[in-house]
Structure formats: C-alpha cells, structure tokens
Amino acid sequence: MKLKIGVFKFTSCSGCQIELLRINENLPGLLNLMDFQNWTMASSNVQQGPYDIAIVEGGISTPEGIEEIKTIRRNSKLLIAIGDCAVFGGIPSIRNWMKQREAEDLVYPKPEHLKSMKVSSIDEYVKVDVYLKGCPPHLDDMLEALKAAILNIRPRLRQHPVCIECKFYENECLLTTYKQACMGPVTAAGCGAICPNVGRTCEGCYGPMSNPNVKSMVERLREIGLTDEDIMRKFRKYAGTSEYYREVARL
Amino acid sequence: MKNVNIDYLTRVEGKGGLDLTIKDGEVRDLKLRIYEEPRFFEAFMVGRRFDEIAEIASRICGICYVTHQITPVRAIEKILGVEVNDRIKLLRRLIAIGGIISSHALHVYLLALPDVLKLPNSFSIDPKLLVKALKLKGLGDKIVEIVGGRAVHPVTIVVGGFTYAPPKEKLNALVDDLKDAKKTAMESIQFFSSESLPSFEADSEKIALSNSDEYAINEGRVKSNKGLDISEDEFRKFIEEEQVPHSTAKHSKVKGRLSYMVGPLSRVNLNFHQLNEDAQNAAETSGFKFPSCNPFVANVARVIEMISLIDEAIELIDLYNEGEVRVSFKVRGGNAAAITEAPRGINYHWYSIDNNGVVKAADISPPTCQNARRIEDDLRAYVPTIAELSKEEIAHRCSMLIRAYDPCISCSVHSLNVKVRKT
C-alpha cells in the first residue's frame, strides 16, 4: 500500500516544495512508495484525505489558515512541518515586530480589505510530529523524514550546530579567526556548512539548534564590533519569534 | 447563465482561483482571485541593511530566487556606484540561465504537459520521458547550485559580485549532460502544436528587456511591440498600478494604454533574432510564427528559450575562468531601480538607502503582478469564443490560459490587494 500524502502551503514562498521537487530524476522512485493525493502545485487530481502524511510549508497568518491547518491535522496521521516558515514563522515573521497596521499601510493602498495577522509557526495551533528546519531544509532531510515515516521510526535529524559540519570541511573559523559575524555556533546543522564552504558567514537559515548558547553568541558578536541593532537583525530573520531568539531579537 | 468557479487553481505556484459568470455567450463577471496570504516584504525590508536585501528578497519566491537576488543587488550597486567586472557579469548570466532552465522545465513538463496529454498530472506520463525531463530540470538546478552554493535560495550572490569563484572543473562536468538535455528540449517541441494548443489571438502589448549585445536577461532597455522604449529607471514613470472597480487586486498597465504581457512569449516575440539557430528552427518545426499573439504559445516560447539557453550555458562555461569575482566599494546613500528578466518576465526592484546602508523604502513589482490584469483581459476575450462548451471544459480551458502565464502567485502577492473568498 502506498502512503497517502498531502502537500500544503501557507504563508511562504513555495521554495520548500521546489526543494522537494529537486528529487528530479528520482521522482518515479518516490512515486512507487507514495501517492500524492493532494498537491495542488503539482497535480490537478485532488482528494480530500485522510492522509498518512501531511507535508506542510509556511506559517499561519490568516484566520482561514488556522481553520485549514486544524482540518489538515485532523485528517493526517503524521504531520511534517517543512522549512523555517512552518517551524518558526520564517522570514515573513520579521514583520511581527512592526504594528500589523503599519506593515499593511506601507504596502497596500486600501488595507481595509486585508485579513492578515502576525505570522506564527504551525505548532502555535496544532501538534507537529516532525520539524524540518531550514530555508529550505535540505532535500536529504526531507527524504530522511519520509523514509522514517515509511519504516515507522523517528527520523535522524541533527541537533548540533553548523560548526560541527564546518569542521568536517576543515574550514577556518570565520567568527574567531576572521572576526566575521558567523551565526554557525547557534544555528542548527543540516545544510552541510554551505555558506562557510563558499566564503560566506552562516546567516542562520536553519534557525536555532537545540539549546543554543545565545547569551555567549551575543557577547562574541559585540566583541567583534556589532552594534545592538546589528545583533537584533541577525536574530530577527529566520526564527526571530522562536523561544531561544525572541528576547535577543527584541533588542 | 453559466457560473464557472475554480476554487483553487492547480499546477500553478501559490493560491489563486477564478470566478466567472457567462450570460448569452458574454462574460458578465470575471475575477482572478488571489487568496495567497500577503507577506509585506516592502514593509519589513525597511530598517534592514543593504547587504541583507538579496538574501531576504530571495524569499519572495521559491522558484525565481535567482532574479530576486540579482535584481536588488544590481539596484544597490547602482546606488553605491559599484562597477562589476566581466567575470561577475558572466557568472550572473550563467546562474540566471540555470534558474530559467529549471523554472521552464518545471513548468513545461510538470505543470503544462499534462494539459496537452489530457492527464491530471505528470506523475503518470511515460517514465522515460519523465526522467529525461527531470534530468533537464536538474541541470538548471545544478548550474544554480555550483555558481550559487545552493540550488534553492543560493548564497553566493552579494553586492559587489560573488563570495567565491565556482570551480571551473565542476561546471565543465555538466557539459555532456547539458548536450543531452538540449536533445530532450528539442524533442519536446512536438508536444506543443496547433493541434494541442487552443487557437486564440490577443493583440496585447508585449514588454520585455532588450539588449543589442545579447538575448536580454540581466540588463537591457524595457521595450514593447507598441513602441515603449525606456530605461529601467523610468519604469514607474511609464507603468502605473491602479485599482479596478470589479476587483481589489492592484493591476499594472502602461500609462494611457492597456494591460500588457511580460514573460517568455514577450521575450521571444521581441528578441527572436537573438535566439540561436537550433531554437529558431525548433520554432519553425512547431508551426507557430513569431511574433505570436496567441498566449498559449508561451509554452513553445519556453521550449525554444531552453534550447538556446542550454547552448549558451555551455558557451559561458567554456568562456569562464576562475579569478577575481568580488569588487570592493564604500557605502553611501541614494536610490535606484533595476530590472531583470525572471523566468516569468521583467522583475522590477527599487530601493532607497541611507548613508549607513540601511533601507528606507522599497518598491518591488514581480512579473505576475504585471501580468495579473492581462490574464483577466485575455480571459475576457477568450471566454466568448468557448462559451458554448461545458462548464468543466470552460474551467479547464481557462485554467490552461492562466497556466500559460506560469503565474507565480507568492511573488505577486506582496503587492496585490487580497480578497479572501468565502464559500
């Protein structure tokens, strides 16, 4: 029996679904195991569930979204949140520190037509079984989560920071050696340290690792000359509203 | 009276629907509904640093992230007076081509092909074809990954150039596969013929970048078949957004004129002579003549663009040599605009930054915003020609027409007013 899958999108850019489609020529293999019963971006054949797995991209920012995610939860055995928007609110959550009214006025001439709220992670409203961090999460992590679901085991996801992966590549430390504002020490691994590998500081796009030492990170960033405002911007990006970052992101 | 309601459009990026009422063969009411949640990019970009904007703007769209990085970077470089070298320009063109190949292949094979094969999706097409098609898409992804450090939301594109020079040997390793992929693209022209695509003509204004040196992607003047010829800085002087009475969506039009089309068909119509010979021959094979007024022919335009751009990617890889890919600059304030060709058409970004490099204001007009009104106008003209068909068939044909624009609704929504429909 193939697993019945639904793929859903809320407040996001669709990049996580595009990352999943990066399975490319291995798609037929995936289709042997999974029946995508509701994936509006890829298929006109849409069935209303119940599903074995709901794969959900995006944060929640409308009253309708709350109802919809609750329906999806009721209809699904396993719910996988893919990407920072679903897991933390993501880049769109930067606006959460503005008044909603100000954000609306800046973009729309007639904001009275809008039905929009501050954006939140989906686990604000429903239980999430698997969290895949990243903007986007790496395809390998998505496949790991799907394989684990087939085998009915817990997926092996990394709990350590990007620094561990960076060491595997024998990169010199951008933070301590080059005094650059690298977010690696507090950021969840999974990307393969792609940014340090190509000469760029980690921007934190996988969100916080489990139990990061944020206080020490802030001190280090101050030491290398970042202002409080610079530090606020670093944390108020992909996961500013997460439990670990929200204090610092408020600075 | 017929009411045709498409609650949610499928095989498009993002959330949209269509409400249509037909009476006596005429369109009484037509609304392309966009119910994607707004994300307010132009609002929360205010207060961010100039060197974060490409990273943030990339998240406007999970398909056309490359253009949403190169466009703001170019605008900011204009403010700072940064002149990039030829190697940087070459790499920007190469990564943009990678993005277009990936996006076009996704659209042509996964989203549009099911329409001409009369299938609900591409999952059940001949696996051999599916694998070849997805390999072609994968090569676009690979180009972006090697040059950009990551396939989706690349990380190496920065103000002043790139954070690293991609290894030439990694790019060279793609060449044989690119040659195979070109064959796949050439073969797929057969799917789109006058038999498989509806015949419908709309004499709309077609706008694209144009550049005497090359098939314009990352820079050029904004030109049209109706005489528009302006610089990217003049965009807001000539293109206006307005609110229409029947819809809360902000629509674009050329000032004093009507709605317009951007995207592959506009590009091919305007710059056909700059596509390579194989692409031009493929166009001939398709039986369609360019310039074409049939919006469904956009899929032919996508295929022939892929053919020409795959060859160009091979040439660029050959020309590329590793070396300096980042120029230095000093931060200063100012404002400037830039336009590049996204897979779906011209993408406009404008920024104002202060002397510390902090964004004071932003204005962004992605292609789907600009096409929204044109899609409605096309539908208004098209529906009377198919009004006698069944409701299901009308819904199917309308979806096909909307899909031909490859709308990227997430992109468009940060500046479309949103009406959430209640059922």
Side-chain angles (χ1 to χ4, degrees), chain A residues 96-149:
Chain A
N96 284 16
W97 277 270
M98 308 174 77
K99 281 198 164 62
Q100 177 71 21
R101 167 170 58 78
E102 285 168 12
E104 292 183 0
D105 285 347
L106 272 170
V107 182
Y108 292 89
K110 290 186 176 172
E112 60 271 22
H113 295 302
L114 297 178
K115 252 192 186 176
S116 172
M117 323 174 297
K118 290 189 190 304
V119 62
S120 63
S121 62
I122 56 179
D123 80 354
E124 183 76 24
Y125 298 103
V126 297
K127 180 173 164 279
V128 170
D129 300 303
V130 181
Y131 296 86
L132 297 184
K133 302 170 182 178
C135 187
H138 196 284
L139 173 65
D140 289 350
D141 278 350
M142 296 190 194
L143 296 181
E144 167 66 20
L146 292 174
K147 276 188 239 170

Side-chain angles (χ1 to χ4, degrees), chain B residues 274-285:
Chain B
Q274 288 167 317
L275 292 164
N276 73 4
E277 209 182 319
D278 284 338
Q280 295 190 5
N281 289 340
E284 193 146 331
T285 315

Side-chain angles (χ1 to χ4, degrees), chain A residues 153-172:
Chain A
I153 56 172
R154 277 149 68 100
R156 288 169 304 169
L157 299 169
R158 296 162 189 81
Q159 306 299 318
H160 52 258
V162 171
C163 299
I164 306 285
E165 292 180 319
C166 206
K167 294 291 167 288
F168 290 153
Y169 290 96
E170 302 183 337
N171 294 324
E172 280 183 279

Side-chain angles (χ1 to χ4, degrees), chain B residues 148-191:
Chain B
R150 172 161 68 185
V152 175
H153 299 316
V155 299
T156 62
I157 299 168
V158 289
V159 174
F162 286 85
T163 62
Y164 93 136
K168 184 170 167 92
E169 59 188 291
K170 274 198 185 175
L171 289 167
N172 278 340
L174 301 180
V175 169
D176 287 342
D177 288 341
L178 281 166
K179 286 177 182 163
D180 279 345
K182 186 184 159 197
K183 286 184 207 146
T184 307
M186 305 253 313
E187 285 160 17
S188 39
I189 200 83
Q190 57 169 319
F191 294 116

Side-chain angles (χ1 to χ4, degrees), chain B residues 4-23:
Chain B
V4 178
N5 295 305
I6 304 171
D7 288 343
Y8 46 87
L9 292 159
T10 58
R11 284 184 278 125
V12 297
E13 188 287 323
K15 299 166 163 178
L18 180 73
D19 291 340
L20 172 63
T21 308
I22 307 168
K23 198 179 178 193

Side-chain angles (χ1 to χ4, degrees), chain A residues 7-34:
Chain A
V7 183
F8 306 93
K9 173 190 182 301
F10 290 91
T11 310
S12 63
C13 73
S14 294
C16 296
Q17 294 177 72
I18 296 297
E19 176 72 11
L20 180 57
L21 280 172
R22 214 164 56 75
I23 190 166
N24 289 331
E25 62 262 36
N26 295 317
L27 180 63
L30 192 67
L31 295 173
N32 282 336
L33 299 166
M34 319 219 143

Side-chain angles (χ1 to χ4, degrees), chain B residues 12-144:
Chain B
V12 297
E13 188 287 323
K15 299 166 163 178
L18 180 73
D19 291 340
L20 172 63
T21 308
I22 307 168
K23 198 179 178 193
D24 304 326
E26 306 244 324
V27 175
R28 282 282 295 272
D29 190 31
L30 186 148
K31 287 190 190 95
L32 178 66
R33 279 181 295 104
I34 305 287
Y35 57 93
E36 179 86 22
E37 302 92 328
R39 289 180 297 155
F40 308 99
F41 272 83
E42 289 118 315
F44 67 70
M45 276 177 172
V46 174
R48 303 301 302 202
R49 283 172 52 91
F50 75 99
D51 52 7
E52 299 177 298
I53 292 307
E55 179 192 352
I56 292 173
S58 184
R59 273 70 186 185
I60 291 172
C61 178
I63 307 178
C64 28
Y65 30 76
V66 175
T67 171
H68 281 302
Q69 294 197 20
I70 293 178
T71 317
V73 158
R74 269 197 50 236
I76 290 162
E77 284 170 354
K78 278 167 74 174
I79 297 173
L80 305 181
V82 179
E83 272 293 327
V84 297
N85 64 34
D86 287 346
R87 185 180 295 107
I88 294 169
K89 285 186 184 166
L90 179 150
L91 286 173
R92 283 185 182 165
R93 188 166 171 87
L94 181 59
I95 193 171
I97 287 174
I100 293 172
I101 291 172
S102 172
S103 173
H104 277 9
L106 171 73
H107 182 82
V108 167
Y109 300 109
L110 286 183
L111 310 187
L113 192 57
D115 283 330
V116 298
L117 299 178
K118 311 232 180 294
L119 292 168
N121 54 47
S122 277
F123 301 158
S124 47
I125 64 172
D126 173 13
K128 266 195 209 146
L129 171 65
L130 184 61
V131 166
K132 275 207 281 189
L134 290 170
K135 268 192 182 155
L136 162 53
K137 174 185 161 291
L139 279 163
D141 296 339
K142 270 273 160 54
I143 292 173
V144 178

